[in-house]
Amino acid sequence: MATRDVTAKKTLAKIEALAKGVVQEVKKRKNPRLVVPLRTLSNVQFNAKKKIIELGADKQERAFFNVAQAKKFMQTFLVASACKELLEVGKTTSIRDLYYMTKHTLGDTRQNTFDEQDESDPIIEDLEVTVDALREELHLFANRKGLMVGPMTVIDSGDTIDLRRQGSGGWGVPSIVEPNVIRFGKTEAKYVLLVEKEAVWSRFNEDKYWKKEQCMLIHGGGQPPRGVRRLVQRMHSELKLPVYVLVDNDPWGFYIYSVIKQGSINLAYESMRMAVPGARFVGISSFDPERYRLPDETAIRMDDGDHKRIKQMLEYPWFEKKQWRRELEAMASNNKKYEIEALSRRGISFITEEYLPKKLRDRDFLE
Amino acid sequence: MATRDVTAKKTLAKIEALAKGVVQEVKKRKNPRLVVPLRTLSNVQFNAKKKIIELGADKQERAFFNVAQAKKFMQTFLVASACKELLEVGKTTSIRDLYYMTKHTLGDTRQNTFDEQDESDPIIEDLEVTVDALREELHLFANRKGLMVGPMTVIDSGDTIDLRRQGSGGWGVPSIVEPNVIRFGKTEAKYVLLVEKEAVWSRFNEDKYWKKEQCMLIHGGGQPPRGVRRLVQRMHSELKLPVYVLVDNDPWGFYIYSVIKQGSINLAYESMRMAVPGARFVGISSFDPERYRLPDETAIRMDDGDHKRIKQMLEYPWFEKKQWRRELEAMASNNKKYEIEALSRRGISFITEEYLPKKLRDRDFLE
Amino acid sequence: EAPAKPRRKATAEQMAQRQREISVSEFFAKNRHLLGFDSPTKALLTTVKEAVDNSLDACEESGILPDLTIEIRAVPGASDRFVVSVEDNGPGIVKAQVPKIFGKLLYGSKFHRLKQSRGQQGIGISAAAMYGQITTGKPVQVWTKTGKGRPAHRLEVQLDTRKNVPVVLSDTEVDLEKDHGTTVELELQADYGRGQRYLLRYVEQTVLANPHLALTFLRPGADPLVFPRASTEPPKEALEIKPHPHGVEVGTLMLMATESKYRDVRSFLQNSFSRVSGGVADEILGNAGLKRTLRTQQLADDRELAEKLRQGILDTRIMAPSTNCLSPIGDELIRQGLISFLSVVEEEAEELPQLELLEKGARRGRKKAPVKTSEEKQAELEKAAADAVPPEPGEEIIKGKKFFIVSSTRPPKVYRGNPFQVEVGLAYGGDWPQDKTIELYRFANRVPLLFQRGACGVTDAVMKTDWKKYELQQPRGALPVGPMALLVHIASVWVPFTSESKEAIAHYPELLAEIRLALQDCGRKLAAFIRKRKAAAYELKRRSIFELYIDELARSLHEITGADREKVKGDLVVLAREITGGEETDEILDRVASNPKKRRPTDEE
Amino acid sequence: EAPAKPRRKATAEQMAQRQREISVSEFFAKNRHLLGFDSPTKALLTTVKEAVDNSLDACEESGILPDLTIEIRAVPGASDRFVVSVEDNGPGIVKAQVPKIFGKLLYGSKFHRLKQSRGQQGIGISAAAMYGQITTGKPVQVWTKTGKGRPAHRLEVQLDTRKNVPVVLSDTEVDLEKDHGTTVELELQADYGRGQRYLLRYVEQTVLANPHLALTFLRPGADPLVFPRASTEPPKEALEIKPHPHGVEVGTLMLMATESKYRDVRSFLQNSFSRVSGGVADEILGNAGLKRTLRTQQLADDRELAEKLRQGILDTRIMAPSTNCLSPIGDELIRQGLISFLSVVEEEAEELPQLELLEKGARRGRKKAPVKTSEEKQAELEKAAADAVPPEPGEEIIKGKKFFIVSSTRPPKVYRGNPFQVEVGLAYGGDWPQDKTIELYRFANRVPLLFQRGACGVTDAVMKTDWKKYELQQPRGALPVGPMALLVHIASVWVPFTSESKEAIAHYPELLAEIRLALQDCGRKLAAFIRKRKAAAYELKRRSIFELYIDELARSLHEITGADREKVKGDLVVLAREITGGEETDEILDRVASNPKKRRPTDEE
């Protein structure tokens, strides 16, 4: 707790310095500005050595007296002010809660400070990079999604939780999974299987796949939140468990794999803590439908958005790997995509009993 | 397992009978029709004695050769066919998974069988009422949302889970919580507190409210799913625990309370198993902002959709209670709404340390 | 308030000295735009038109099938001068009449009688001659011969514009090979480059409205256009009639009485008006409260009596005028005309926009396909039809495109005592764009109207018809939009034009009402056709929806019940067809489709 | 192919017998719509207009400030008959001229000279008399007196339509109190119920374009309307000029030579044309390759010589015609006129739609506020201005609404030798709807044009101007849309109308080009004004955005740093104003705003 207090004081000081700067500028009748590191494609690079995406040095000015930036400027300090309060009382809260805490109507207009959480989340990320404080240091945590079961015991805030005994439910992965909150206890797990969707996770849990295979079964509800990514990264680096990723056969699924492995543009400043460069892609591969004889009627036609996304992804420098390109190009030329569930056309438990075991046995995966 | 097999056979027979009827009609060159009990406002009534909403006897014909109904007709049998397969192999799956399983492109068009889960969910409910089989009997379960902690042990599919020791995570409430899956173990809980949102649940869990207050803390992620509702109902009826509901001060929040207590139009056929007529509304009440001196700047202006919803709710026969009307009418005349988080303007833990304890102490709630 | 000091005073006497008579030729020389000579472009067409009108009228009156040659010649060394020559095989002109006909405005045989004819004012050809004279200084030349063995004459005539009288510059006997006929030739300032498109349109439309005409058109720097005679049957002849009593006003009644040779009003009425028998005359006098013995001269002198008589006429039911004074184009010819226009329009849709008074720029190099004879057309039609489903009544196949064509002929009506009749033809469909304003072809007494569309009562009537009722789009206060062409013809013993140039029809309510009725009649038929097509398209759409799901339903039913999938599917397909109008739907849509491959709407549409 | 057997043959001889001369009165009696008598509604206005035109022309020419009384009387027992009487204080008419002026078409003093006047054809008033005579049988009555102490006369005149000659029915000496003046009175078939709105509009617009006129309008069943004289300064007098050589064509040149009294061409040129000095004449002859000694008679007889001379004229630079032959309305009066129209339109926006040839129905019971004198107007303006920010140049405050008003006067130009000048006024703003077609007021030689808007060259020029460039909406090929009124005046020694009724201006390219240039000039000024307003509105919008967030930002900064919240807020507010144009923005928008309370756009907009 002592460390936490010190960190909190540091963070508080950073926020206060930022605000004081603005007050000074205003006093001098100058248009107040913030300097925000850019979280865009143009300002990230792929570190080939570390095999992760890293944030560059580009920054962006954000002025209050600029019609396009005024609202964001105001929002930044609204969020900063709320974080200051959290830090002072030593509480944490979710970013969703922060959205609710800071959302209200402006004066007697019909405009709100925020209309959607989609608006406040990027402001939090901006604040993180601007004052150089991670989300946790701002006493915030991400929305939680994601469940885990498997042959392991974890110690969560002092409670010992046996992930072998979670019934049909599973353990909800918290947002903050740093070692001071979550510690790993005894485990017999041989690897980590991260699946894209809860529905698939439930299938694997019902079939007790993790028990047979002795693996940690985790999902992130689509694009996995920080907590899940960090936990997977910790299991990989601390417990030396290989990580396998199972996603839908569509550009969004494959992108999830790339984020797990190398990090994302948006959170490039966290890649060091999040990315699992050794993560492996087990499917669904664009070549699986043919290889596993999936009936044509399980296919979904790709739409314009899908094709556009593939094109975009192929232009990312970290998608240069030949195997990855093959995967995406085959997807585009098939003009079809497949849910993981398409495999159930070959039998409800085909995926857990045949598909995945065979893939792992044959080492039929991408790296 | 034997009971399950018998039920499965019964359900299978019902699905087969439905499909055979259609095949017969088609053979006779007749426009095939389904008779689907109506799940609409006009076909529910409030049972004043039981204090729950019940389904009426009205039915609707759904013909295949009717432009407005053809797709739904096709979808109904697509879903029925998938359920048949589940029943035959004795597996269950989530309705989200069912959506993915049955989603594919039609022939060489750009149309899919389903575009959104919003399309397949009502079809499942139609099938439930049409063949008179509950979702669980079709081997389906709802998407899970919701977490629970508190002074209680549950036995989930044979695993004993101590809900006192879930750390910051919490136990993910499964979709199927019938006694054959979930059993209640030892408990010291004095009541159940159901909160609307996960963010609020996290605040209460962080503050260890449930420990101080000796209560079960559960959330349903907005409108609670069947699993959460059924679990709350079971705790209420089997463990005789009072149930308190804490929701946002807006029409949607209050409606969640009404559904917990009396059931919903859409699932009126399940009210018997779901509704908790004794559930109590603790807030946020439309009179709280004044009573608890919430700063004006925490208010959000109501929009047209809010006002429309209030008007609609006031017309439901089961909203006739004077206290309820007062709540909604005050909300409308204030023209303001408040997130639960608005209370944190009075201090981050005002809600857990002052607001709620005082409400319960003063018995300041609605029934 | 006191008037300010006048600066200079012209007295009534001074002003009186300036008063002068103005001759009608002076008036029109100055107001030449009233006659259609506002620009060198229009002058060319107006000149041709006036000459052709005269030739056609003369041939018609003397029962000759007309054979015309129009020639436009460039004048060497003057790019803005052209010679127009129009030669006919008409009855010829008696030599003594030539000077006045070509050298005096307001002289002619058609003004004073009620008979449908192209010319009606006695202004046109002499106005053209005057325009030529003013702009080039040259007289009009006329060759004419009135019969086999008779001498032919060549005259050069000038118009004394100060006095509106002709001056004969030369008069010689010449040899003409043909038995009879007239050639008129004059030089004028003109712009052939810009004017040729109007000329071509005029020639095409004139040939169409006059299938008994054989026409050769010789043009500068291009091959001659030859239009053979399409029909040896001359149009039904229009007979001259007397005025109808209901259209006569007090002043006119008194004037007619003054000039009448009948001494008693009863005979006057019987002989000077149409549809007045002895009985009717008695009834009129009775209603007027006048004696049967009233003398015509009394009527001429006494305004009160004339007023009474007029009231008596109005109070008496009198038969509508006889229709044999009118010669409509007729349904068959209107349909043929539309078909022919469509062929041209389809070919040159982008090249020939709607004509307006002010052209936006010259369009040169237009290619022209000579209009086909009806035999050739028939052959084409039959060929196209052979490959396709037989068309429904009202449908025509033109160059492989399907059109819906209807026409409507109104019974004759009367305005201001003048009988008139309205005909309308409507063509819809083909490959025309859905979002363009319709094509509108206007005709008056078989003469195409090419200018001043915006000022024309016909246009107004089309705009004021509610086409939305007939399944067309129509911007407020505008022509409708859609793949449609309209042909409107007004036949009358006296067509009221908005100016002497006879380019647009005046907005007489009686005329507009009849045009609207004819348009509505065509519109109703069109709407029925479109709705039928829409209904079939809807059935097909329904069917395609059912067919989309049948495969899926059959599989599910098979998987649940084990029933034969193909069998169930087959049953469902049969049911789908039955329920969506069966064969009939296919057929209607087959007929619509220009391209059978595109027939079925898919879900992408 | 052999011609078919003729059914009945009229020979050239038979046809010759039917040829007859047509008198101009017969022609127009039959084509009365050409003169503006196509309906009882229009007949009323046309009659008043022709009489008023004559009176104003006569007063102007004799330097009298006009004092007119228009009276419309119902005829007892005949709902479709009215008496129109127009009385003036003009110079009177010499008795001998009365019959021809009122009883003969194409007779007058204005046709043969080049001078800007309202009447120009010698048709109008006699045509009205003829229409009255045909429809009621009654003659026109004229009272006239040419000076103090001279006898006054009353004449009843009829027109012999067969011959176009006057017939005097009675002629008596009468007493008239006034020193001089003329009254014309005639009975005609008319529809006052439907026609009164046109009359009112005509009267209003006439008064506006002629501020030196005092007018009384006596109407059936309503109070008299009295328009006092607004200015005792008569309009600038237009002088008569000779034709300009550049507009003369070969034929006309020969005719002028024939009639010239000057024996040699050099003198002929100097004396018969404007802007031809001795030197210019020499240059012309030189350019034409003709001798200075050439005799005029040679020119009259030899077309080749005339052609050469014309080419010589065209090859010589000759000064543009003198502008003193034109009398424009002038900027000041155009602005006043627009202001006055706006007052009326603002009041009756819903009641008075744009006028069209065919009225859709009678509108009765319209209330009329007499037009104010310029003194009264000035007082009102000043009062309104006192409460508001002083208007920018171009802005006017009318009844509390702000308008932007500009005008543009083009230098005189020439078409076909006729000098003309275009003036345009534009008013924009007020409370007018943004989505309605603009108002267009057309004038020719100070006479308002109320009918045939669609056929008018002015309308065409407005439609063909690209108003989108000037910040207005404009549907394709249509009038622009927006809160705007346009006034277009054409002054010319000879205005080309599309018909004898003088309702619309012909599409002469030279005229259209000038109108467009004037419109563009006004358009540019309008665009600058609108853009300035838009820029200010944008600054205000920016400011309101900043102000929206300032409170919130100040609180956050206060909560984080402890800095004084009100102080921070104050600094931010000052900054926001500075950055968004400061005071200037406020002022521009204050000027725009009709209602100061609504000044600030809120986020709801």
Side-chain angles (χ1 to χ4, degrees), chain B residues 333-347:
Chain B
S333 74
N334 289 346
N335 196 24
K336 287 173 186 166
K337 55 187 185 179
Y338 295 84
E339 306 281 345
I340 302 177
E341 282 83 351
L343 293 172
S344 62
R345 271 274 159 192
R346 298 277 324 269

PDB file of all heavy atoms in Angstrom, chain B residues 333-347:
ATOM      1  N   SER B 333     -41.724  15.103 -14.491  1.00  0.00           N
ATOM      2  CA  SER B 333     -41.845  16.542 -14.274  1.00  0.00           C
ATOM      3  C   SER B 333     -40.485  17.160 -13.926  1.00  0.00           C
ATOM      4  O   SER B 333     -40.220  18.298 -14.278  1.00  0.00           O
ATOM      5  CB  SER B 333     -42.905  16.852 -13.211  1.00  0.00           C
ATOM      6  OG  SER B 333     -42.408  16.532 -11.950  1.00  0.00           O
ATOM      7  N   ASN B 334     -39.597  16.414 -13.278  1.00  0.00           N
ATOM      8  CA  ASN B 334     -38.225  16.912 -13.065  1.00  0.00           C
ATOM      9  C   ASN B 334     -37.528  17.165 -14.392  1.00  0.00           C
ATOM     10  O   ASN B 334     -36.689  18.045 -14.520  1.00  0.00           O
ATOM     11  CB  ASN B 334     -37.363  15.881 -12.316  1.00  0.00           C
ATOM     12  CG  ASN B 334     -37.780  15.739 -10.868  1.00  0.00           C
ATOM     13  OD1 ASN B 334     -38.521  16.570 -10.349  1.00  0.00           O
ATOM     14  ND2 ASN B 334     -37.319  14.673 -10.219  1.00  0.00           N
ATOM     15  N   ASN B 335     -37.869  16.316 -15.380  1.00  0.00           N
ATOM     16  CA  ASN B 335     -37.200  16.351 -16.680  1.00  0.00           C
ATOM     17  C   ASN B 335     -35.699  16.093 -16.539  1.00  0.00           C
ATOM     18  O   ASN B 335     -34.909  16.545 -17.343  1.00  0.00           O
ATOM     19  CB  ASN B 335     -37.473  17.686 -17.379  1.00  0.00           C
ATOM     20  CG  ASN B 335     -37.129  17.627 -18.860  1.00  0.00           C
ATOM     21  OD1 ASN B 335     -37.115  16.540 -19.454  1.00  0.00           O
ATOM     22  ND2 ASN B 335     -36.834  18.781 -19.452  1.00  0.00           N
ATOM     23  N   LYS B 336     -35.352  15.372 -15.470  1.00  0.00           N
ATOM     24  CA  LYS B 336     -33.946  15.056 -15.254  1.00  0.00           C
ATOM     25  C   LYS B 336     -33.836  13.599 -14.858  1.00  0.00           C
ATOM     26  O   LYS B 336     -34.760  13.031 -14.276  1.00  0.00           O
ATOM     27  CB  LYS B 336     -33.384  15.901 -14.111  1.00  0.00           C
ATOM     28  CG  LYS B 336     -33.172  17.344 -14.471  1.00  0.00           C
ATOM     29  CD  LYS B 336     -32.786  18.127 -13.230  1.00  0.00           C
ATOM     30  CE  LYS B 336     -32.710  19.608 -13.544  1.00  0.00           C
ATOM     31  NZ  LYS B 336     -32.674  20.404 -12.303  1.00  0.00           N
ATOM     32  N   LYS B 337     -32.693  13.013 -15.175  1.00  0.00           N
ATOM     33  CA  LYS B 337     -32.453  11.646 -14.730  1.00  0.00           C
ATOM     34  C   LYS B 337     -31.058  11.582 -14.126  1.00  0.00           C
ATOM     35  O   LYS B 337     -30.227  12.467 -14.357  1.00  0.00           O
ATOM     36  CB  LYS B 337     -32.616  10.665 -15.893  1.00  0.00           C
ATOM     37  CG  LYS B 337     -31.750  10.990 -17.108  1.00  0.00           C
ATOM     38  CD  LYS B 337     -32.096  10.070 -18.285  1.00  0.00           C
ATOM     39  CE  LYS B 337     -31.134  10.331 -19.437  1.00  0.00           C
ATOM     40  NZ  LYS B 337     -31.378   9.477 -20.597  1.00  0.00           N
ATOM     41  N   TYR B 338     -30.816  10.534 -13.336  1.00  0.00           N
ATOM     42  CA  TYR B 338     -29.546  10.427 -12.606  1.00  0.00           C
ATOM     43  C   TYR B 338     -29.028   9.013 -12.686  1.00  0.00           C
ATOM     44  O   TYR B 338     -29.764   8.056 -12.448  1.00  0.00           O
ATOM     45  CB  TYR B 338     -29.740  10.811 -11.128  1.00  0.00           C
ATOM     46  CG  TYR B 338     -30.117  12.258 -10.926  1.00  0.00           C
ATOM     47  CD1 TYR B 338     -31.448  12.674 -11.032  1.00  0.00           C
ATOM     48  CD2 TYR B 338     -29.146  13.215 -10.647  1.00  0.00           C
ATOM     49  CE1 TYR B 338     -31.806  13.994 -10.871  1.00  0.00           C
ATOM     50  CE2 TYR B 338     -29.496  14.548 -10.480  1.00  0.00           C
ATOM     51  CZ  TYR B 338     -30.828  14.937 -10.591  1.00  0.00           C
ATOM     52  OH  TYR B 338     -31.165  16.249 -10.428  1.00  0.00           O
ATOM     53  N   GLU B 339     -27.740   8.889 -13.000  1.00  0.00           N
ATOM     54  CA  GLU B 339     -27.078   7.599 -12.885  1.00  0.00           C
ATOM     55  C   GLU B 339     -26.877   7.314 -11.388  1.00  0.00           C
ATOM     56  O   GLU B 339     -26.797   8.243 -10.575  1.00  0.00           O
ATOM     57  CB  GLU B 339     -25.690   7.658 -13.538  1.00  0.00           C
ATOM     58  CG  GLU B 339     -25.668   8.131 -14.977  1.00  0.00           C
ATOM     59  CD  GLU B 339     -26.069   7.043 -15.962  1.00  0.00           C
ATOM     60  OE1 GLU B 339     -26.087   5.866 -15.565  1.00  0.00           O
ATOM     61  OE2 GLU B 339     -26.389   7.380 -17.116  1.00  0.00           O
ATOM     62  N   ILE B 340     -26.732   6.018 -11.037  1.00  0.00           N
ATOM     63  CA  ILE B 340     -26.413   5.701  -9.649  1.00  0.00           C
ATOM     64  C   ILE B 340     -25.130   6.437  -9.249  1.00  0.00           C
ATOM     65  O   ILE B 340     -24.978   6.922  -8.130  1.00  0.00           O
ATOM     66  CB  ILE B 340     -26.208   4.173  -9.463  1.00  0.00           C
ATOM     67  CG1 ILE B 340     -27.472   3.415  -9.902  1.00  0.00           C
ATOM     68  CG2 ILE B 340     -25.876   3.841  -8.007  1.00  0.00           C
ATOM     69  CD1 ILE B 340     -27.341   1.901  -9.816  1.00  0.00           C
ATOM     70  N   GLU B 341     -24.208   6.562 -10.226  1.00  0.00           N
ATOM     71  CA  GLU B 341     -22.921   7.197  -9.971  1.00  0.00           C
ATOM     72  C   GLU B 341     -23.041   8.657  -9.521  1.00  0.00           C
ATOM     73  O   GLU B 341     -22.083   9.235  -9.005  1.00  0.00           O
ATOM     74  CB  GLU B 341     -22.037   7.132 -11.214  1.00  0.00           C
ATOM     75  CG  GLU B 341     -21.392   5.788 -11.431  1.00  0.00           C
ATOM     76  CD  GLU B 341     -22.308   4.794 -12.129  1.00  0.00           C
ATOM     77  OE1 GLU B 341     -23.515   5.096 -12.307  1.00  0.00           O
ATOM     78  OE2 GLU B 341     -21.825   3.722 -12.504  1.00  0.00           O
ATOM     79  N   ALA B 342     -24.207   9.248  -9.817  1.00  0.00           N
ATOM     80  CA  ALA B 342     -24.369  10.646  -9.422  1.00  0.00           C
ATOM     81  C   ALA B 342     -24.124  10.794  -7.920  1.00  0.00           C
ATOM     82  O   ALA B 342     -23.649  11.832  -7.445  1.00  0.00           O
ATOM     83  CB  ALA B 342     -25.773  11.125  -9.788  1.00  0.00           C
ATOM     84  N   LEU B 343     -24.427   9.716  -7.163  1.00  0.00           N
ATOM     85  CA  LEU B 343     -24.245   9.774  -5.705  1.00  0.00           C
ATOM     86  C   LEU B 343     -22.788   9.964  -5.334  1.00  0.00           C
ATOM     87  O   LEU B 343     -22.475  10.463  -4.248  1.00  0.00           O
ATOM     88  CB  LEU B 343     -24.780   8.488  -5.055  1.00  0.00           C
ATOM     89  CG  LEU B 343     -26.303   8.300  -5.138  1.00  0.00           C
ATOM     90  CD1 LEU B 343     -26.690   6.911  -4.631  1.00  0.00           C
ATOM     91  CD2 LEU B 343     -27.023   9.369  -4.330  1.00  0.00           C
ATOM     92  N   SER B 344     -21.875   9.584  -6.248  1.00  0.00           N
ATOM     93  CA  SER B 344     -20.460   9.682  -5.881  1.00  0.00           C
ATOM     94  C   SER B 344     -19.998  11.137  -5.853  1.00  0.00           C
ATOM     95  O   SER B 344     -18.889  11.423  -5.402  1.00  0.00           O
ATOM     96  CB  SER B 344     -19.593   8.836  -6.808  1.00  0.00           C
ATOM     97  OG  SER B 344     -19.708   9.312  -8.117  1.00  0.00           O
ATOM     98  N   ARG B 345     -20.822  12.038  -6.343  1.00  0.00           N
ATOM     99  CA  ARG B 345     -20.509  13.459  -6.195  1.00  0.00           C
ATOM    100  C   ARG B 345     -20.497  13.854  -4.711  1.00  0.00           C
ATOM    101  O   ARG B 345     -19.897  14.841  -4.323  1.00  0.00           O
ATOM    102  CB  ARG B 345     -21.556  14.306  -6.925  1.00  0.00           C
ATOM    103  CG  ARG B 345     -21.227  14.565  -8.364  1.00  0.00           C
ATOM    104  CD  ARG B 345     -20.335  15.780  -8.511  1.00  0.00           C
ATOM    105  NE  ARG B 345     -19.638  15.723  -9.786  1.00  0.00           N
ATOM    106  CZ  ARG B 345     -18.628  16.496 -10.106  1.00  0.00           C
ATOM    107  NH1 ARG B 345     -18.173  17.402  -9.258  1.00  0.00           N
ATOM    108  NH2 ARG B 345     -18.053  16.375 -11.270  1.00  0.00           N
ATOM    109  N   ARG B 346     -21.228  13.048  -3.926  1.00  0.00           N
ATOM    110  CA  ARG B 346     -21.230  13.324  -2.489  1.00  0.00           C
ATOM    111  C   ARG B 346     -20.091  12.559  -1.814  1.00  0.00           C
ATOM    112  O   ARG B 346     -20.081  12.404  -0.592  1.00  0.00           O
ATOM    113  CB  ARG B 346     -22.568  12.894  -1.858  1.00  0.00           C
ATOM    114  CG  ARG B 346     -23.805  13.604  -2.382  1.00  0.00           C
ATOM    115  CD  ARG B 346     -24.044  14.963  -1.703  1.00  0.00           C
ATOM    116  NE  ARG B 346     -23.691  14.983  -0.299  1.00  0.00           N
ATOM    117  CZ  ARG B 346     -24.534  14.702   0.716  1.00  0.00           C
ATOM    118  NH1 ARG B 346     -25.797  14.408   0.457  1.00  0.00           N
ATOM    119  NH2 ARG B 346     -24.122  14.754   1.957  1.00  0.00           N
ATOM    120  N   GLY B 347     -19.183  12.047  -2.572  1.00  0.00           N
ATOM    121  CA  GLY B 347     -18.099  11.220  -2.033  1.00  0.00           C
ATOM    122  C   GLY B 347     -18.150   9.867  -2.693  1.00  0.00           C
ATOM    123  O   GLY B 347     -19.234   9.315  -2.904  1.00  0.00           O
TER     124      GLY B 347
END
